[in-house]
Amino acid sequence: MEWLQRLNDALDYMEDNLDGEISFEEAARLACCSQYHFQRMFSYIIGVSLSEYLRRRRLTKAAFDLQNGDKVLDVALRYGYESPTAFNRAFQGVHGISPSMAQKPDTSLKAFPRVSFQITIKGATEMDYRIVEKEGFRAVGVRTLLSTDMEENFKNITPFWEETISSGSTKEIVGLMNEEPMGLLAVSTCNGVDKENFYYICVSTNKPTPEGMFEVDVPKHLWAIFSGSGHPSSIGDLQKRIFTEWLPTSGYEWASSPDVEVYLDSDPINMKYEVWLPIVKKS
């Protein structure tokens, strides 16, 4: 289970550096994937963003240190807070009391234990998928900048869809569609740490790019393509199952390449869709 071991190696590194600098790039290197993919995968598997998880772990450790007699200012600086005021605000947000109150005996506090990655055998719920090598394609549409903070991305993508639909842009985008894959596409690029990553609402086309729109090239790749249906929010549930149930035992790894969602119809209640995961065979 090399995949799980690498993820746990990344967790070990972060846990060992809660009282210092934590490089998401280094954590992703230990997990053998891009920084963007590591943060996204972490969010799906654990259920909170990587930055929020680390915040909770640091404030859990901070509570222990305060109860052991450490000074508030020392603890604040130890866990990356530039001022007691910022530390006090964050501490109260998690524990519901001030740091100075936490130093008193018989005080109720919250603890967020360290997580670990492991395989859990779940119910025999089928997953429909196929593995296909696809030629590259050019897609055109609108885009929004992706943050390195996955929590921000999850907050921003839904309003981006709502704005695109309400403005009528989706109709204009769909009008450009004339090549495979047929359907409205959501493409998340993965261009490395030092380059900008974008989320596109687009279609595959050979038509010119209209003013105000952008194009993205999706390279030839091997894909694991998962089929699903239901409310659009169910896509997140399918993606979580892909990362927690399918990928660890599949013999494949998530490749550093754009990933794609294909919306096959516009039914708001029972939409048909596909999740395209770029993969490489484990060596």
Side-chain angles (χ1 to χ4, degrees):
M1 294 288 96
E2 293 181 19
W3 185 80
L4 290 174
Q5 183 57 53
R6 291 200 297 261
L7 288 177
N8 283 312
D9 288 344
L11 281 172
D12 287 341
Y13 158 74
M14 293 187 293
E15 191 71 19
D16 290 342
N17 290 280
L18 288 175
D19 57 354
E21 290 290 328
I22 293 178
S23 165
F24 286 2
E25 182 179 0
E26 175 61 14
R29 186 192 68 78
L30 292 169
C32 295
C33 62
S34 72
Q35 181 178 328
Y36 173 76
H37 280 163
F38 177 69
Q39 291 188 75
R40 188 175 178 192
M41 184 162 46
F42 187 97
S43 296
Y44 278 126
I45 295 174
I46 303 303
V48 298
S49 70
L50 179 57
S51 58
E52 176 62 16
Y53 169 76
L54 291 175
R55 187 180 78 91
R56 293 179 183 181
R57 286 293 299 136
R58 281 174 161 147
L59 290 170
T60 294
K61 297 268 286 184
F64 291 149
D65 292 351
L66 290 168
Q67 289 194 313
N68 287 330
D70 290 4
K71 295 179 180 179
V72 172
L73 179 59
D74 292 342
V75 175
L77 295 174
R78 182 178 304 148
Y79 293 104
Y81 292 90
E82 296 181 354
S83 70
T85 301
F87 177 59
N88 182 74
R89 188 183 306 115
F91 194 90
Q92 288 203 54
V94 167
H95 296 283
I97 60 172
S98 68
S100 57
M101 284 292 295
Q103 293 176 311
K104 297 180 179 180
D106 198 24
T107 300
S108 179
L109 294 161
K110 291 182 174 62
F112 294 91
R114 172 198 168 140
V115 300
S116 63
F117 292 104
Q118 55 187 299
I119 291 178
T120 301
I121 304 302
K122 300 187 177 181
T125 305
E126 65 185 22
M127 297 180 71
D128 295 325
Y129 77 95
R130 62 191 190 277
I131 294 176
V132 185
E133 186 173 51
K134 294 277 190 180
E135 294 296 324
F137 61 89
R138 168 181 170 269
V140 172
V142 295
R143 73 184 187 185
T144 186
L145 184 66
L146 287 172
S147 168
T148 55
D149 186 336
M150 289 299 104
E151 189 173 16
E152 286 300 311
N153 291 333
F154 291 143
K155 291 178 182 177
N156 294 336
I157 285 175
T158 296
F160 178 57
W161 269 101
E162 292 171 349
E163 178 185 347
T164 302
I165 293 170
S166 64
S167 68
S169 296
T170 48
K171 292 181 180 179
E172 185 180 358
I173 294 168
V174 170
L176 299 171
M177 181 172 58
N178 65 359
E179 292 191 333
E180 294 288 340
M182 302 299 286
L184 189 61
L185 312 176
V187 177
S188 299
T189 60
C190 177
N191 296 316
V193 175
D194 299 324
K195 297 181 181 179
E196 291 181 322
N197 294 302
F198 292 94
Y199 180 91
Y200 292 80
I201 299 174
C202 54
V203 293
S204 181
T205 183
N206 60 15
K207 295 181 180 180
T209 304
E211 185 177 354
M213 293 192 187
F214 303 88
E215 64 179 70
V216 56
D217 291 317
V218 179
K220 178 179 179 179
H221 220 292
L222 185 67
W223 303 88
I225 300 178
F226 299 82
S227 300
S229 62
H231 188 275
S233 63
S234 66
I235 295 174
D237 296 332
L238 175 58
Q239 290 171 325
K240 182 173 182 177
R241 290 193 64 202
I242 291 169
F243 295 130
T244 58
E245 298 178 34
W246 185 85
L247 192 59
T249 57
S250 66
Y252 293 93
E253 295 178 340
W254 193 3
S256 291
S257 188
D259 53 274
V260 180
E261 297 167 6
V262 183
Y263 299 92
L264 302 172
D265 61 43
S266 58
D267 187 334
I269 304 300
N270 192 31
M271 177 184 291
K272 292 182 174 58
Y273 54 81
E274 292 178 338
V275 174
W276 291 28
L277 187 75
I279 54 172
V280 291
K281 190 74 176 178
K282 287 183 181 178
S283 58

